[in-house]
Amino acid sequence: MIRVTLPYHLRKLACMDGELQLDVAAPVTMRAVLDALEAKYPVLRGTIRDHVTFKRRPFIRFFVCKEDWSLEPPDKALPEAIVSGSEPFLIIGAMAGG
């Protein structure tokens, strides 16, 4: 079970509270987690990744084991701590402005 934490506005859009858990088949990658997330919550399609290119949306960041993985290749295998569920896969809405 992969644990995923979403920002408030995406949890509200998906009508869910708190952290969610996803079954993701091996190999567990960012792409596989996001595919499983969008399959379980279709309303989130296009909010995290572009519909056509599947690139990360601006102001969305991914954190894995307290490290920013936003610029990592989407098919890079996630660490065992994420795969085992001991650490969550974090999707964060980045802040901007002045």
Side-chain angles (χ1 to χ4, degrees):
M1 244 348 151
I2 306 297
R3 296 170 41 214
V4 179
T5 302
L6 295 172
Y8 174 78
H9 67 285
L10 294 180
R11 287 194 317 264
K12 181 95 171 152
L13 181 64
C15 298
M16 58 166 293
D17 289 322
E19 190 175 85
L20 64 106
Q21 296 184 350
L22 298 172
D23 285 320
V24 180
V28 179
T29 63
M30 281 194 296
R31 182 186 314 271
V33 170
L34 295 173
D35 288 347
L37 177 64
E38 291 174 348
K40 187 169 183 176
Y41 298 97
V43 70
L44 295 178
R45 287 189 183 130
T47 62
I48 298 169
R49 302 182 291 180
D50 183 82
H51 283 286
V52 178
T53 64
F54 296 105
K55 289 186 179 181
R56 175 183 55 88
R57 291 273 183 201
F59 302 111
I60 294 287
R61 309 295 284 185
F62 304 126
F63 283 84
V64 173
C65 299
K66 300 179 181 116
E67 293 182 17
D68 188 350
W69 273 44
S70 303
L71 301 177
E72 296 293 331
D75 291 320
K76 181 176 179 179
L78 293 173
E80 182 58 32
I82 299 291
V83 175
S84 69
S86 63
E87 289 284 331
F89 179 80
L90 300 171
I91 300 173
I92 306 291
M95 302 284 288

